[in-house]
Amino acid sequence: MNRRRLLDAGLLRQWPLAPLEPGCDKELRGRVLLIAGSREIPGAALLSAQAALRAGAGKVMVATAQSVAMQVAVTMPELRVVGLPETHSGGFDLTGLARLDDALKRADVVLIGPGMQDEDAAIAFAQALRKRHPDVPTLLDAAAMGAATREPIAGPPVLLTPHAGEMAHLNGQSKDSVLADAEGAAREAARWWNSIVALKGATTVIAEPQGDLWVHEGGNPGLATAGSGDVLAGLIAGFAARGASLVQAAAWGVAVHARAGDRLVGRMGGMGFLASELLAEVPALVQGLAPAGAGRSTWVDLPGAMPAAPARRTAG
């Protein structure tokens, strides 16, 4: 039987992130490998990287377009930055993948896609990466999401983070039909692609391949701004680096992202804040949700059971 759970503060407090001990060092807080950005959209890599660190990751390595790697490194000195060779249309050439082998062996999570140009090149890069390193927990965002939809992808389920327009592009439906039944669209997509799907919107739905759903309600229009999705993807990666499963990391990322938007609405009004302004809100929100507290969130059975998904990593 499929189950549905409301993603609220009560659930998060019952499902806490692994605590960071006072004496822990950056190695114990986890490593993120972020493959992102392009010569026209270098800022996406910066937003995702900052979000991963705000979420508590210990180290972030950014692999980005060689033409902008130096600017990214200078802009954010907390990062290790590697430049990758580019295709004529601005994507990453597959010859650059070998440069990342050592980093992939040490990474606790990989996020690929924010700000990448050339969808075909992004998909090819993501598919090749998974074939070389199928077991590392992987988030596919933006142009890289097609890697999970065009052909079976190696290893445990990955996490996809589409909004309704991207979902329509990926599954061939209309955007209106996705919006009309977001829960159904997310659940079916997760089953078809054997992936975890976080379908973003005013109501965000996280679906697992076997049919379980987490639903977050109460988004605000101010979050529909350039770079907001890059911040969300980085938050999820940061929580996963700390040891959360991809599902738990997605749940915490969606909830913290929405609450950061709510805080900015309270101070600045409903529209006009920047995605980068979400970042400073994150640490206090994570701390505020961390303690165990009252409140219960129960499963609700949904009709139409589906077969269980293959075994997957469940750390966290």
Side-chain angles (χ1 to χ4, degrees), residues 4-81:
R4 180 185 189 275
R5 212 167 193 183
L6 186 63
L7 183 50
D8 57 13
L11 184 148
L12 295 176
R13 291 191 174 106
Q14 294 172 40
W15 198 14
L17 298 167
L20 299 176
E21 299 299 330
C24 78
D25 62 21
K26 59 189 175 185
E27 299 294 342
L28 294 177
R29 287 167 52 182
R31 295 172 180 250
V32 176
L33 174 57
L34 171 60
I35 304 169
S38 60
R39 58 182 176 242
E40 293 186 11
I41 321 173
L46 289 166
L47 287 171
S48 292
Q50 290 179 66
L53 290 170
R54 293 288 191 180
K59 290 185 175 181
V60 177
M61 174 176 167
V62 173
T64 192
Q66 196 149 3
S67 59
V68 297
M70 182 60 71
Q71 293 95 310
V72 170
V74 171
T75 301
M76 193 172 174
E78 296 89 346
L79 305 175
R80 177 184 174 190
V81 181

Side-chain angles (χ1 to χ4, degrees), residues 181-193:
D181 183 14
E183 293 187 16
R187 188 171 62 176
E188 286 300 297
R191 180 173 65 89
W192 293 334
W193 304 329

